[in-house]
Amino acid sequence: MGREKPIPQENQRLNAFVMIVLGLETSCDETAAAVVAREPATGQGRILGEAVLSQVAEHKPFGGIVPEVAARAHLTHLDALVRKAMADAGVGFADLSAVAATGGPGLIGGVMVGVMTAKAIAAVHGVPFLAVNHLEGHALTARLTDKVQFPFLLLLVSGGHCQLLVAEDVNTYRRWGTTVDDAAGEAFDKVAKMLGLGYPGGPAIEAAAKTGNAKRFNFARPMKGKPGCDFSFSGLKTAVRQTAEQLPPGPFQPRDVADLAASFQAAAVESVADRVKRAAERFTNEYPEGRALVVSGGVAANTALRELLQATAAKAGLEFVAPPLKLCTDNAVMIAWAGAERLHKGLVDGMDFKPRPRWPLDPNATPSHGAGVKA
Ligand code: KG4
Ligand code: ZN
């Protein structure tokens, strides 16, 4: 159990006794620090301060994330971001109940930077260190933003992850589905690259798709109708490439790019929605007390996907919860918040914690292998 302290006078935003946790996120291409407060009595949380630096510009010339570049950038910027988040919150290190960092899964160089920084702060200021599973950060965000109660069904769709999970409690998850090859966001990124739309690909595909004809190319909806809740995107990606190769030689015409983007997007989001539909049916059967379908991860920004998921949730009698976009994509608020939820349960970590490139949320889930399978 962490220390509970009053927020200092100068911070006028809260005056109850709360846990205050600093969180660090460095597992991919966002360097971020945030401070959140959690009231132990009510379980309510509040963002006190945050600072984020996106590395998109640093990776853009390479058309994707370069792990070594990411790790160096985290190292360069993290200290200043911690100072900024703390200043924004109006708290000092002595006010912290704990320090949390993403302990994995993710690009190991970056995870090491965050973990070592958090351990150093924890050691110097004599507060507990918390290693947070990045996926648990995504999973628990909806409890901060929308006070979602356990159990809930979670779709996590990002550039590195594509999973369907049941969140039963803090630290207790059941994984019902994962990708057998690429993550959903990875498929958007690869197709965008193929079509010359640049990086990150998701928003570029969505923008191009707006003027495109989604019916021009009839791509099969991967996994649609198949038993289980697993995902697959690599066949769809190949189908887009083969179709693009059959177009007349020379640079792509804008019309072809728009139609390919629209047709790909329709197939990808319908595939995801089909998997979610199956999971929602199973969830309402096995967890009749469950109320919500939560979606998180960068791909949750996609309007077409959101619309389909909203309808899928409604049909299953579930509430559809999507945290605000900046808390759906990688951020440190989710790490600080998951840290606070773990601290409340007494789940602190030792200084001997080792960063974990792979770290499944559900230890009993069958391991899956593939380019985009990080957990
Ligand atoms: O959660 P996130 O910021 O980072 C991780 O991958 O953990 O997700 C980024 C991913 C990228 O693959 C990006 O292309 C995708 O989310 N994405 C989208 C959209 N916006 C971002 N995919 C589809 N449609 C979008 N509007
Ligand atoms: Zn993420």
Side-chain angles (χ1 to χ4, degrees):
M1 186 65 66
R3 290 193 273 149
E4 291 167 17
K5 296 174 175 181
I7 294 234
Q9 279 290 300
E10 63 269 24
N11 187 333
Q12 295 297 312
R13 286 175 282 189
L14 273 181
N15 57 10
F17 275 76
V18 294
M19 285 174 173
I20 303 175
V21 178
L22 167 67
L24 311 180
E25 162 57 38
T26 57
S27 68
C28 196
D29 62 342
E30 312 267 279
T31 317
V35 183
V36 305
R38 183 182 187 280
E39 288 183 52
T42 62
Q44 293 216 3
R46 191 144 177 185
I47 302 167
L48 299 185
E50 55 184 318
V52 190
L53 191 85
S54 166
Q55 301 177 6
V56 166
E58 264 138 312
H59 297 286
K60 219 180 182 87
F62 304 99
I65 299 164
V66 184
E68 177 69 20
V69 172
R72 284 170 190 269
H74 291 308
L75 195 58
T76 308
H77 301 296
L78 188 58
D79 286 355
L81 290 166
V82 168
R83 271 197 296 276
K84 198 158 167 260
M86 298 284 289
D88 191 28
V91 299
F93 287 112
D95 302 310
L96 296 178
S97 312
V99 186
T102 297
L107 301 173
I108 196 67
V111 175
M112 281 164 62
V113 172
V115 165
M116 291 312 293
T117 306
K119 280 184 181 175
I121 296 171
V124 169
H125 298 282
V127 292
F129 161 72
L130 303 152
V132 170
N133 184 313
H134 179 87
L135 306 180
E136 183 165 44
H138 279 300
L140 297 180
T141 305
R143 288 173 50 77
L144 169 69
T145 57
D146 296 81
K147 304 184 185 67
V148 174
Q149 301 296 308
F150 295 116
F152 58 87
L153 181 63
L154 172 74
L155 169 69
L156 183 52
V157 270
S158 71
H161 311 285
C162 192
Q163 306 195 352
L164 271 160
L165 298 141
V166 175
E168 289 187 350
D169 199 349
V170 174
N171 206 38
T172 311
Y173 301 89
R174 308 266 165 249
R175 196 180 77 193
W176 282 358
T178 188
T179 178
V180 297
D181 40 58
D182 293 346
E186 195 174 7
F188 272 85
D189 292 337
K190 287 178 177 170
V191 168
K193 200 169 182 174
M194 220 184 274
L195 300 179
L197 289 171
Y199 164 85
I205 293 267
E206 183 166 18
K210 280 207 170 75
T211 56
N213 173 7
K215 296 207 168 82
R216 176 162 161 208
F217 304 105
N218 189 19
F219 298 125
R221 278 50 178 150
M223 305 300 253
K224 190 164 178 183
K226 293 235 169 80
C229 304
D230 280 342
F231 302 85
S232 168
F233 297 98
S234 108
L236 174 59
K237 185 185 65 189
T238 306
V240 176
R241 199 191 55 239
Q242 286 169 344
T243 306
E245 281 167 2
Q246 282 159 16
L247 291 170
F252 288 131
Q253 298 303 309
R255 163 96 350 246
D256 293 336
V257 170
D259 292 348
L260 278 168
S263 303
F264 159 76
Q265 177 175 271
V269 302
E270 279 179 35
S271 166
V272 172
D274 175 74
R275 312 284 73 205
V276 173
K277 179 172 150 258
R278 295 191 76 88
E281 282 162 3
R282 183 174 164 191
F283 181 67
T284 48
N285 266 330
E286 293 184 24
Y287 296 85
E289 72 281 28
R291 294 278 167 272
L293 165 67
V294 174
V295 60
S296 188
V299 185
N302 190 284
T303 311
L305 180 63
R306 274 184 186 240
E307 282 169 3
L308 274 183
L309 293 179
Q310 222 147 8
T312 307
K315 269 195 203 125
L318 296 171
E319 188 193 346
F320 177 74
V321 179
L325 197 57
K326 72 174 193 144
L327 296 179
C328 262
T329 57
D330 287 352
N331 66 87
V333 167
M334 70 181 192
I335 302 305
W337 171 250
E341 293 240 72
R342 292 183 70 82
L343 183 64
H344 181 67
K345 294 249 169 193
L347 297 166
V348 299
D349 295 275
M351 287 295 180
D352 56 349
F353 173 85
K354 292 184 189 63
R356 298 181 61 171
R358 284 179 185 243
W359 185 359
L361 258 191
D362 176 357
N364 299 315
T366 330
S368 207
H369 299 286
V373 183
K374 309 250 168 39

